[in-house]
Amino acid sequence: MSVRAKKHLGQHFLKDEQIAKDIADSLTEKGYDTVLEIGPGMGVLTKYLLEKDYTTHVIEIDTESVEYLQNTYLNLAPRIISKDFLKINITDYFKEKQFAIIGNFPYNISTQIVFKTLDYRDQIPEFSGMFQKEVAERIAEKKGSKKYGILSVIAQAFYDIEYLFTVPPTVFDPPPKVESGVIRMIRKADYSLPVDEKLFYRVVKTAFNQRRKMLRSSLKSMNLSDKLREDAIFALRPEQLSVEEFINLTSLIEQDAI
Ligand code: SAH
């Protein structure tokens, strides 16, 4: 099958059936009976999802792909959402239901897909799929690494993340410029945040925006008391703080404001 991919939609169609199957098998199938695939394209992954016990829904922005899927997978047709994932209100389609997300994601919007998933984490116990390798690594990376950053800290505050395997450009049509990586995120048993979420996001983002500086100077804009800024933690740079330590730091800042 030859396809004319639409570059602005991040279309890189997977040609390797074994890799498609391995991605489909990456979900543990625990804690939900519904799965949403983002960006099914011509359905290379979808056909393996349809063999599973759960109910598969797909969301695809490209109307040509939607038409192809409607004509090819007749049973799936009522559960094809012909929309932009970033624009939908998830509760319009899934109400309060628990569901997993999977996909060979459009790389141009992959971090936005992760942030939207985090916003809806109360309904999303599991998330797995393929990203450009660098993004997959950034999500999964631990403190001390150059790749550890905003995405790592915020995703790992709510999910346990595992980097599963690397995929070469040659198995895509057209091949992307970079390698790809598959990760799985499983929501933590207790994923409640003991601090204000907005403040936590702000602390993490502000700290990493000047990642080579000590927190004492990168967090200056947050108007902290002199006393708090003497705390030893403020002599560290953001990549030296674990997720737990970022939560503790947020808690210190929260109390400082009282
Ligand atoms: N899963 C397929 C296609 C991957 S390419 C495969 O592995 O071969 C990424 C797919 O995401 C494309 O089909 C593209 O049309 C779709 N897409 C891009 N932006 C999207 C968006 N905002 N919402 C839903 N689908 C999107």
Side-chain angles (χ1 to χ4, degrees):
M1 174 181 51
S2 111
V3 285
R4 197 158 38 85
K6 300 187 181 89
K7 213 172 170 189
H8 63 287
L9 296 179
Q11 291 185 341
H12 295 282
F13 298 102
L14 189 59
K15 296 184 296 183
D16 187 307
E17 292 295 330
Q18 186 56 48
I19 293 174
K21 197 170 174 308
D22 289 346
I23 296 174
D25 288 342
S26 68
L27 289 174
T28 67
E29 300 179 42
K30 286 182 196 133
Y32 50 88
D33 60 11
T34 301
V35 169
L36 173 65
E37 183 192 0
I38 301 173
M42 313 304 273
V44 64
L45 192 56
T46 321
K47 63 178 179 293
Y48 295 109
L49 304 179
L50 292 171
E51 290 173 3
K52 307 278 187 188
D53 290 335
Y54 49 70
T55 307
T56 298
H57 298 243
V58 301
I59 180 159
E60 172 58 65
I61 198 171
D62 177 25
T63 49
E64 256 179 84
S65 299
V66 166
E67 210 172 299
Y68 172 85
L69 293 167
Q70 279 167 342
N71 296 330
T72 312
Y73 303 100
L74 300 180
N75 294 335
L76 178 68
R79 291 181 307 281
I80 299 175
I81 306 168
S82 181
K83 290 257 154 75
D84 178 341
F85 173 72
L86 297 180
K87 294 203 179 131
I88 64 157
N89 186 346
I90 287 198
T91 41
D92 289 349
Y93 298 89
F94 296 97
K95 301 205 167 63
E96 311 278 296
K97 209 171 169 43
Q98 297 287 306
F99 65 96
I101 286 183
I102 195 165
N104 164 22
F105 302 115
Y107 293 173
N108 52 333
I109 57 163
S110 56
T111 54
Q112 293 166 71
I113 290 175
V114 176
F115 278 115
K116 180 152 184 172
T117 299
L118 298 177
D119 284 345
Y120 282 94
R121 60 188 177 272
D122 285 339
Q123 283 183 261
I124 306 176
E126 205 168 299
F127 174 101
S128 77
M130 185 144 62
F131 295 88
Q132 60 267 53
K133 186 179 178 207
E134 201 245 325
V135 173
E137 287 174 335
R138 273 203 277 136
I139 299 168
E141 206 62 75
K142 295 285 187 280
K143 74 167 183 177
S145 151
K146 276 209 179 90
K147 290 174 182 147
Y148 180 68
I150 297 168
L151 203 55
S152 338
V153 175
I154 294 180
Q156 291 169 33
F158 309 116
Y159 289 82
D160 291 319
I161 298 165
E162 203 179 335
Y163 185 95
L164 299 176
F165 55 91
T166 300
V167 178
T170 46
V171 300
F172 296 90
D173 180 25
K177 290 203 177 72
V178 292
E179 286 191 302
S180 300
V182 176
I183 59 166
R184 176 175 54 219
M185 316 197 343
I186 298 180
R187 195 175 58 201
K188 293 176 191 243
D190 178 9
Y191 62 97
S192 62
L193 207 56
V195 292
D196 180 69
E197 180 183 326
K198 281 211 181 89
L199 185 64
F200 174 66
Y201 273 57
R202 196 173 143 219
V203 168
V204 174
K205 286 181 178 170
T206 311
F208 277 107
N209 278 341
Q210 293 176 284
R211 67 179 295 143
R212 260 168 270 127
K213 294 204 175 151
M214 286 187 216
L215 298 173
R216 186 169 294 140
S217 105
S218 60
L219 297 184
K220 219 167 215 162
S221 65
M222 300 193 76
N223 290 325
L224 309 175
S225 68
D226 291 342
K227 185 167 178 295
L228 181 63
R229 293 190 331 138
E230 278 161 28
D231 190 299
I233 199 167
F234 286 89
L236 299 175
R237 287 186 301 280
E239 67 187 51
Q240 296 175 289
L241 266 65
S242 67
V243 174
E244 267 312 301
E245 287 165 325
F246 264 110
I247 293 172
N248 294 341
L249 172 66
T250 307
S251 168
L252 289 174
I253 293 175
E254 213 164 43
Q255 285 158 27
D256 191 49
I258 295 170

